[in-house]
Amino acid sequence: MNIGNLTFENKAFLAPMAGITHPVFRWMVREVGGAVGFTEMVSAEGIVRDFERAQKYLEPFPGEKPFAVQLFGADPGAVAAAAVISVEQGADLIDINMGCPVRKVVKAGAGAALMRDPGKLAALLRKVRAALHCPLTVKIRSGWTAGEILAPDMARIARDSGVDAIIVHPRTVAQGFSGKADWPVIERVKKAVEIPVIGNGDIRTAEDALRMMDETGCEGIMVGRGVLGNPWIFSAIRGAIGGGSAMIVPTPAEREAVVCSHLDRNIRFFGERDGIKDFYRHLSWYTKGMRGCAALRKQVLGEENHEEVRDAIHRFFALTQRDRPPEDEHPDASSG
Ligand SMILES: Cc1cc2nc3c(=O)[nH]c(=O)nc-3n(C[C@H](O)[C@H](O)[C@H](O)COP(=O)(O)O)c2cc1C
């Protein structure tokens, strides 16, 4: 699919997730699943006011191309300036967050607050568009409440302001992250605009991805929580879209190699202590449902030594392979 002048071989994207989609995780997902990921939302004001501090959020992994950065902010001038700085740092695509429901963000007039202020929404997007040559996308929610569905109108405003594609997470602000994503809203957005639409919400398997594309007509899909512990979901989606296998189950050796590579890169990027600390959550996701995972977590919790963690992982996978028949060794690929 094309977004502006960029062509994406894979129609599936890794969703921006604060605290999760840092360079190493995007690197793992790109390598294992071939999907382009977005940075977590980065404060435009933060970039403009204190670049030194914000810079770490604009770091790509080695060779990350295209590099997609998500920004949030309320002030059109600040968001436009931050977008230009992001491009100077290597960004190839800028996404503006217009769906974050976190109170602090909304109170500041950013994220989901923009949904209720169409004039400001248009002014902000036009200002950013005028400052940028690279593709520009927006990520929106369905609306404020079930009775206040705003996504199709927002999408039209975004299109008229020069946005190249719309990403729709069809939950309302009132829903937060609970309840079901309302996929028919993605279809309504697709019918409202001709530019590409990327659907997001509740994709846990390759079949879900195909079904979303089929039911809504969206050109691309985006996966958030379904990728946690399961970067293979993107290979499965790519296979399924190409008419091939929708089920990719890594062997224990493949899983171990990915887990160890993730650990090593985390340590290279964040240092030994912080790298292991951040990795701990991912280790839990990678091994969820596997026999001995609780004991492994216990061994690694609070551990600050790279070799100790590596050894614990190696022992865990060695036992897994010795004790269990191959078909029982994998966690439910959809459990994320
Ligand atoms: C921990 C977490 C952090 C998130 N951070 C962001 C963010 O920074 N920017 C954003 O647009 N959405 C963010 N989201 C929302 C996701 O991008 C996605 O829209 C949502 O999780 C629905 O997709 P899913 O059902 O595939 O998880 C976050 C979600 C989670 C669970």
Side-chain angles (χ1 to χ4, degrees):
M1 70 179 289
N2 293 329
I3 301 179
N5 60 6
L6 286 177
T7 299
F8 295 85
E9 271 175 51
N10 197 340
K11 295 176 182 177
F13 297 84
L14 165 67
M17 286 184 280
I20 296 175
T21 55
H22 52 54
V24 175
F25 189 60
R26 297 197 306 273
W27 196 359
M28 297 311 301
V29 166
R30 185 80 68 93
E31 197 169 86
V32 176
V36 170
F38 284 64
T39 66
E40 65 180 87
M41 57 187 224
V42 189
S43 161
E45 296 275 350
I47 293 174
V48 173
R49 285 212 193 123
D50 189 355
F51 179 69
E52 295 277 295
R53 248 181 95 186
Q55 194 175 15
K56 65 175 181 191
Y57 296 106
L58 298 178
E59 191 174 4
F61 65 74
E64 183 167 16
K65 282 282 163 198
F67 175 38
V69 170
Q70 188 189 63
L71 300 174
F72 74 98
D75 175 56
V79 180
V84 170
I85 294 172
S86 304
V87 170
E88 284 164 8
Q89 294 296 305
D92 302 298
L93 180 154
I94 299 292
D95 178 72
I96 309 291
N97 180 310
M98 300 200 154
C100 179
V102 170
R103 192 170 303 161
K104 207 172 115 189
V105 173
V106 172
K107 245 179 120 180
L114 290 163
M115 292 198 303
R116 278 182 147 172
D117 194 342
K120 189 166 169 193
L121 175 75
L124 189 149
L125 291 176
R126 282 175 196 276
K127 185 104 186 169
V128 178
R129 178 71 286 171
L132 279 187
H133 297 295
C134 73
L136 174 63
T137 62
V138 290
K139 183 163 176 282
I140 63 178
R141 281 192 173 237
S142 49
W144 204 266
T145 59
E148 195 182 352
I149 297 298
L150 304 163
D153 286 341
M154 286 177 77
R156 284 190 202 96
I157 295 170
R159 175 207 52 201
D160 293 345
S161 309
V163 163
D164 296 299
I166 316 270
I167 304 165
V168 189
H169 172 207
R171 280 189 176 84
T172 62
V173 172
Q175 266 183 297
F177 290 98
S178 61
K180 238 177 103 180
D182 187 8
W183 289 4
V185 172
I186 301 173
E187 186 186 8
R188 285 175 58 191
V189 171
K190 186 59 245 173
K191 287 193 168 138
V193 294
E194 325 65 40
I195 56 176
V197 171
I198 297 171
N200 165 237
D202 295 347
I203 295 177
R204 299 290 169 141
T205 63
E207 285 87 355
D208 291 340
L210 285 189
R211 198 161 48 81
M212 180 189 275
M213 292 177 87
D214 192 45
E215 288 177 10
T216 70
C218 64
E219 283 87 355
I221 56 103
M222 178 174 265
V223 181
R225 289 161 293 181
V227 74
L228 303 177
N230 186 20
W232 297 275
I233 190 173
F234 285 111
S235 332
I237 291 172
R238 192 144 62 158
I241 290 175
S245 170
M247 189 70 190
I248 306 258
V249 182
T251 64
E254 283 165 345
R255 186 175 289 273
E256 182 181 352
V258 165
V259 169
C260 287
S261 165
H262 192 151
L263 169 68
D264 295 350
R265 287 172 178 176
N266 245 33
I267 287 172
R268 233 194 302 152
F269 259 76
F270 307 118
E272 194 165 23
R273 207 184 60 165
D274 292 349
I276 293 173
K277 199 168 159 206
D278 173 82
F279 171 75
Y280 179 78
R281 283 186 309 165
H282 289 275
L283 181 65
S284 308
W285 289 321
Y286 280 124
T287 56
K288 188 175 167 187
M290 295 173 79
R291 200 212 283 173
C293 65
L296 173 67
R297 283 205 302 272
K298 228 167 141 185
Q299 282 171 51
V300 173
L301 184 65
E303 184 54 69
E304 295 185 356
N305 181 283
H306 188 176
E307 286 311 313
E308 294 289 341
V309 177
R310 238 183 184 280
D311 285 350
I313 291 168
H314 189 65
R315 283 196 304 274
F316 170 80
F317 278 99
L319 269 181
T320 305
Q321 295 189 59
R322 202 191 65 197
D323 289 353
R324 308 190 75 188
E327 64 270 24
D328 287 337
E329 285 176 349
H330 314 290
D332 171 4
S334 68
S335 66

